[in-house]
Amino acid sequence: MKITPVKGTNDYLPQQVRVRDYLQNKILETYRAAGFERITTPIIEDIENLDKSDGGENLALIFKIMKRGDKLNKAIAEGGELSDMGLRYDLTLPLTRYYANNRAKLMNPFKVIQTDRVYRAERPQKGRLREFIQCDIDIIGTESRTAELELILTTAKALKNVGLDNFKVKINDRRLLRALLMGLGFSEDSLDSVCIVFDKLDKIGPDGIAAEMTEKGFPAEAIAALSALLSEGASLDAIKQRVESEAAADLEFIINSVNEIGGVDIEFDMSLVRGQGYYTGTVFEVVSNDFRGAIAGGGRYDNLIGKFIGEDVPAVGFSIGFERIAGILEEKGISAASSRQRLAVVYGEGDFIRAQAYAEEKRAEYDTALFERPKKLNKLINRLEEQGYDAFYVIGWEETEPKVIDHE
């Protein structure tokens, strides 16, 4: 039998888990302080819900669960669908189903937290896991642009609270992008394909975009017009001169408000698309200036809840890629030093009751563990140091205070 975890998943040592718990708790504290409430949902969803969720390329990455017993045998015999459930690939689809099922019991607008595991059948590689954690906040039930403001400001604060401060928020609106592309000469029925190519702008540049669009047979005049706009810088003001869209006013309000409040670097980015098909308006990402790639992202998905209840409910969310920031902070050497210190109480034969009493007293200020004294005490002390303990105390010492472990 194999002792290693399945590719794309990880085992975490106790000291790693302490850091991960610390980071998750800091994020959760920030979310709660801003008035958001936490819920949990099952990791398993009905396969029909997942397949019809407009999840973009994620739909090809669903871990499907086969039917069981007679239902599976019947499906095999009749050539029917072999799967009836699947693992969630993000937290947005489960949230919309949850809201549709429980909305009569919830506040309106509903300000919600989810920090949980999701699953994608990725090809495992650095930065792409099959099991990973997302930290989401969403606001459901309001069309107000202040919902985007709350999400941007709260997410930025959460990132700063865990030690990330050199980042930028990029924002766009799919309504504006679609209007612009149609104004440049792309047909409405080609916009999804055009956006898939356009989303690669930061990777292949304007010339690469033009070449790939030409290869795919898009109109040469439209490609030339887009290339000309990109060469001009594609600012929000430049786009407003070409198309009329209320989305431009919404973006200006959000950007100007964030700048007026201060403390968050934000900019318009016409190339920002985001992969999920369920986004309907504003989309945003957080990119680190120190590390390549996005560390958070989200957007407005006003039509997704309507798939369950037959009426559209406005909704918008922002998700922190926990594994990404945990990896970045681990590279920076972060520790859970801000959490409670750890104490080891060592006892000899017949001293357990005294040790338990001493440990219970010290638990007011330490996380305290009991260890039976081995023949070689120094070997235990060395292991405690390796495992990140801050102090130890041996029952029977004349002094009453623990001895601090020097980690230098």
Side-chain angles (χ1 to χ4, degrees):
M1 297 177 68
K2 297 180 179 179
I3 63 171
T4 55
V6 172
K7 287 185 178 180
T9 67
N10 286 325
D11 289 333
Y12 295 100
L13 296 172
Q15 55 267 39
Q16 292 176 297
V17 173
R18 283 193 295 275
V19 172
R20 290 168 65 86
D21 285 348
Y22 166 71
L23 294 176
Q24 287 190 63
N25 287 336
K26 293 294 286 186
I27 293 170
L28 188 57
E29 287 171 8
T30 306
Y31 288 170
R32 281 183 166 145
F36 291 80
E37 298 181 286
R38 189 180 183 192
I39 65 165
T40 61
T41 59
I43 67 169
I44 300 172
E45 288 287 339
D46 189 284
I47 196 63
E48 181 182 2
N49 291 351
L50 295 171
D51 284 341
K52 295 182 179 180
S53 61
D54 291 334
E57 63 182 15
N58 292 324
L59 298 186
L61 302 176
I62 296 172
F63 277 110
K64 296 185 176 182
I65 300 174
M66 294 181 68
K67 295 175 179 177
R68 290 130 327 264
D70 292 341
K71 289 184 178 180
L72 176 60
N73 294 333
K74 182 179 180 182
I76 294 173
E78 297 177 356
E81 175 59 57
L82 303 183
S83 170
D84 58 354
M85 293 180 287
L87 304 185
R88 61 189 177 198
Y89 60 79
D90 72 3
L91 298 177
T92 303
L93 183 278
L95 172 61
T96 57
R97 180 200 53 74
Y98 174 98
Y99 182 84
N101 188 43
N102 296 286
R103 59 178 175 156
K105 306 170 188 175
L106 302 174
M107 287 286 294
N108 188 44
F110 182 41
K111 300 183 179 184
V112 57
I113 304 165
Q114 295 182 95
T115 58
D116 224 327
R117 299 185 184 202
V118 298
Y119 300 85
R120 294 179 189 172
E122 295 272 13
R123 180 180 179 183
Q125 54 187 295
K126 183 176 175 58
R128 289 189 177 272
L129 297 173
R130 289 172 169 170
E131 177 190 63
F132 54 97
I133 290 174
Q134 290 183 333
C135 300
D136 289 16
I137 44 174
D138 295 75
I139 299 178
I140 299 176
T142 178
E143 296 177 347
S144 173
R145 300 169 296 184
T146 59
E148 276 87 340
L149 277 178
E150 279 198 65
L151 295 178
I152 291 169
L153 295 171
T154 303
T155 301
K157 188 172 184 179
L159 291 172
K160 290 181 179 181
N161 284 347
V162 299
L164 290 172
D165 50 20
N166 191 16
F167 59 81
K168 178 179 295 183
V169 178
K170 294 187 175 185
I171 188 168
N172 194 11
D173 194 301
R174 282 196 170 185
R175 296 170 299 169
L176 181 64
L177 180 59
R178 292 175 70 87
L180 172 66
L181 293 173
M182 290 177 65
L184 294 175
F186 294 97
S187 63
E188 185 172 6
D189 60 1
S190 72
L191 292 183
D192 288 342
S193 298
V194 173
C195 285
I196 289 173
V197 178
F198 192 47
D199 196 28
K200 303 176 184 177
L201 180 62
D202 62 335
K203 298 178 181 177
I204 63 176
D207 292 342
I209 293 294
E212 186 166 336
M213 287 187 173
T214 300
E215 182 181 341
K216 290 183 178 295
F218 296 122
E221 298 82 0
I223 296 172
L226 177 60
S227 297
L229 179 61
L230 292 175
S231 67
E232 296 170 8
S235 67
L236 186 54
D237 286 338
I239 293 173
K240 283 171 57 182
Q241 294 174 11
R242 292 174 175 266
V243 295
E244 293 184 7
S245 172
E246 64 176 334
D250 289 345
L251 288 172
E252 285 186 323
F253 170 81
I254 294 168
I255 293 171
N256 292 340
S257 297
V258 170
N259 286 332
E260 183 176 347
I261 293 168
V264 180
D265 188 7
I266 187 170
E267 69 174 21
F268 170 71
D269 184 349
M270 188 185 76
S271 69
L272 181 60
V273 178
R274 305 282 303 163
Q276 285 83 342
Y278 52 63
Y279 288 132
T280 58
T282 47
V283 287
F284 22 75
E285 270 187 0
V286 178
V287 293
S288 170
N289 296 323
D290 297 326
F291 303 90
R292 183 175 177 82
I295 55 178
R300 184 166 280 278
Y301 51 98
D302 288 345
N303 299 335
L304 193 51
I305 296 173
K307 292 178 176 289
F308 292 100
I309 62 176
E311 60 181 89
D312 288 340
V313 177
V316 58
F318 215 149
S319 176
I320 290 177
F322 180 79
E323 307 298 339
R324 178 71 173 145
I325 66 166
I328 290 172
L329 293 170
E330 187 174 356
E331 289 178 15
K332 292 175 66 175
I334 190 175
S335 67
S338 299
S339 60
R340 279 163 51 96
Q341 291 192 317
R342 302 167 69 214
L343 168 66
V345 175
V346 183
Y347 63 92
E349 186 176 355
D351 285 334
F352 178 84
I353 294 176
R354 288 176 60 196
Q356 172 64 23
Y358 183 86
E360 196 62 31
E361 175 187 334
K362 290 299 180 182
R363 282 173 181 145
E365 53 182 314
Y366 291 97
D367 289 340
T368 306
L370 294 168
F371 292 92
E372 190 169 5
R373 182 168 182 164
K375 292 181 179 179
K376 296 182 178 180
L377 179 59
N378 285 340
K379 188 173 182 180
L380 172 61
I381 304 307
N382 290 337
R383 178 51 63 92
L384 293 173
E385 181 178 355
E386 291 173 5
Q387 296 298 316
Y389 275 81
D390 300 285
F392 69 95
Y393 183 82
V394 179
I395 295 298
W397 279 358
E398 291 184 4
E399 57 268 23
T400 60
E401 291 303 310
K403 180 177 176 56
V404 175
I405 295 177
D406 185 2
H407 290 280
E408 293 298 327

